[in-house]
Amino acid sequence: MSDQQPGESGEPTVPDDVWERFARDSEGDIRASAPKEPSARARMVTERLRLQDEREAARNSRRAARKESRPAAPPEGWRTGPAWRETDGRAARRRRLWAILGVPLAVAVAVVAMKPSLLPGDLFGTSSASSSASAGPELPAETAAPTAPPSAAASRTPTRQRPFAGSPAERWADGADAVVVPEAKAVGALTKAQVATALRQTKNLLVGANLDRATLRGERPKAAIAVLDPKQPHMIDDIERKLSAPEKKHDPVTLFSRFDPREVSLVGQVVKVRGRITFKAGKEGSVAIHADYTFVYPVSPADGNKDEVTRTIVRRVLDVGFLNPSKYQVTPGRLTISRYDETIGNSACDVYDGFLHPQFDSAVSPTGATPTGPATDPYDRSHDLETSRTAGCGTLSRT
């Protein structure tokens, strides 16, 4: 018989320390083998991966369906692979470039439409219709008397689109801008400001008498008369007589450029002008101003061939004074005229009705007497009027 005593159940008993160790080991094994509950983050990652797998499967399914419906692929090398993407990329760059250049190109087209001669080679054949651009750059302002007449211009027939073609005046400045007033300075008893007023009024007189559109149409030259001193003896009365009853000794064209609108019409809006203004000290502390200008007027017949264009050239020399108010009874800011002279090229001889009368080649019977004197150049500004004046009615070397 054994020395061990059986338990109450009849099974062998286990010591307490062995049992406790067994219990601990069993509990550890159970915990290690039991399934763990995933964390919230793990659940989110798992769900996102599942959705991505589903979407990728759906895309693969659609691509497979499209591939089945497409025709056979083209041979390798014909707009396939990288070459096709490069072409597509260049097209995109071209579209961006056109978008950037669109507005400047539109502006350029508009400018060329208004002035086609800007195109190289004049693609539209409009160079003959351009103005002075084809004749060369505009001449600088005249600061001293020329020493020789202007060189001969290219032989061209003037047109309504280019009325100064074939004329030295094509390079002259336009209108009132050509009347350049010199910088003022104090002279005699007059201040710089007073001299500046005198010079400005001299320009106003020249413009009003020779460029004002109303004056050119034969109307009363109000703008020119407005700068003259009404206190100057006989001057205003003499002007009024010239305008109201013109005749040989009292013809207003000696002071004003006037055309009969029933006979001729001005071509365009431009009158070409060249000349200069100078000044010096005058008598009794006044300032004496000298102006010498040539005006070129393009005209066409009012009736008949209105496409025919000719030019009348008028040179005027004017001496005016701005008197010292402490020595003379004068109107403040007004001018007095001490001398005026002129030569007129291409106007009827021996006609004194207050208008200039240009002669046209198409005229059946020219107005006025037949010219008999020597030929002169109306554009020659290198001589004084006294030395260049010819007796009687002369002829012109050019118009």
Side-chain angles (χ1 to χ4, degrees):
M1 295 188 54
S2 171
D3 293 336
Q4 293 181 338
Q5 295 180 0
E8 295 180 353
S9 60
E11 295 179 353
T13 61
V14 180
D16 290 339
D17 58 339
V18 176
W19 179 257
E20 290 178 359
R21 186 168 60 249
F22 172 75
R24 287 195 301 271
D25 293 342
S26 298
E27 183 179 1
D29 293 340
I30 292 171
R31 288 180 178 177
S33 60
K36 296 182 179 181
E37 180 70 19
S39 65
R41 178 175 179 80
R43 290 195 299 270
M44 291 174 60
V45 172
T46 301
E47 179 64 16
R48 185 166 62 247
L49 293 174
R50 185 185 65 81
L51 293 176
Q52 288 179 352
D53 291 341
E54 292 180 355
R55 286 196 293 267
E56 182 64 23
R59 282 196 296 268
N60 291 336
S61 177
R62 288 194 297 270
R63 281 198 293 267
R66 285 197 300 269
K67 187 174 181 181
E68 291 178 358
S69 62
R70 287 178 182 173
E76 181 66 26
W78 191 83
R79 294 189 180 180
T80 60
W84 172 243
R85 288 192 292 273
E86 288 177 9
T87 303
D88 198 28
R90 285 195 297 270
R93 287 194 294 272
R94 284 198 298 270
R95 287 193 292 271
R96 288 194 293 271
L97 182 62
W98 277 104
I100 295 170
L101 294 180
V103 172
L105 180 61
V107 173
V109 170
V111 170
V112 171
M114 290 185 291
K115 194 169 184 180
S117 59
L118 293 176
L119 283 175
D122 192 21
L123 300 180
F124 296 104
T126 56
S127 59
S128 61
S130 63
S131 58
S132 59
S134 59
E138 182 179 294
L139 294 177
E142 186 178 281
T143 56
T147 58
S151 58
S155 179
R156 293 180 181 273
T157 302
T159 63
R160 298 191 68 88
Q161 292 77 25
R162 191 176 166 188
F164 300 99
S167 161
E170 196 166 25
R171 296 182 59 195
W172 293 4
D174 298 351
D177 290 340
V179 182
V180 179
V181 175
E183 183 179 359
K185 63 180 181 179
V187 172
L190 302 181
T191 65
K192 179 180 179 180
Q194 289 175 310
V195 174
T197 298
L199 293 171
R200 184 173 63 253
Q201 289 289 64
T202 302
K203 176 174 181 174
N204 291 338
L205 176 59
L206 290 166
V207 172
N210 301 281
L211 298 172
D212 182 80
R213 304 302 288 190
T215 301
L216 297 180
R217 290 193 301 266
E219 300 176 16
R220 180 180 174 80
K222 296 179 181 179
I225 295 174
V227 305
L228 300 178
D229 193 341
K231 294 183 180 180
Q232 181 180 2
H234 312 299
M235 177 55 64
I236 300 299
D237 290 340
D238 186 57
I239 290 175
E240 295 294 347
R241 180 177 177 181
K242 291 174 184 291
L243 292 170
S244 60
E247 44 95 12
K248 185 174 183 178
K249 293 184 179 181
H250 296 89
D251 194 337
V253 297
T254 56
L255 264 174
F256 311 110
S257 296
R258 308 170 76 236
F259 296 90
D260 187 346
R262 298 167 299 181
E263 179 183 343
V264 298
S265 61
L266 292 166
V267 176
Q269 300 296 317
V270 174
V271 174
K272 291 290 186 177
V273 183
R274 188 153 184 82
R276 63 193 182 280
I277 295 175
T278 57
F279 66 96
K280 63 182 181 178
K283 295 180 180 180
E284 301 292 341
S286 63
V287 59
I289 302 173
H290 178 79
D292 184 345
Y293 278 88
T294 300
F295 303 88
V296 183
Y297 304 97
V299 292
S300 63
D303 296 320
N305 183 11
K306 295 184 178 181
D307 289 332
E308 183 179 7
V309 177
T310 190
R311 293 176 288 255
T312 291
I313 305 98
V314 180
R315 182 181 176 188
R316 297 194 185 278
V317 172
L318 191 66
D319 290 319
V320 299
F322 200 77
L323 303 181
N324 181 359
S326 66
K327 296 291 184 178
Y328 297 92
Q329 292 184 353
V330 294
T331 303
R334 300 292 186 92
L335 299 176
T336 59
I337 297 179
S338 57
R339 175 200 172 207
Y340 56 94
D341 203 352
E342 88 292 331
T343 59
I344 301 174
N346 191 16
S347 183
C349 293
D350 299 331
V351 178
Y352 309 102
D353 61 355
F355 297 110
L356 300 170
H357 295 278
Q359 302 297 288
F360 296 94
D361 292 338
S362 62
V364 177
S365 55
T367 305
T370 302
T372 57
T376 58
D377 183 357
Y379 296 99
D380 185 1
R381 297 180 41 77
S382 63
H383 301 289
D384 293 335
L385 286 188
E386 291 297 330
T387 58
S388 61
R389 191 185 305 279
T390 58
C393 186
T395 57
L396 298 179
S397 60
R398 55 181 172 178
T399 58

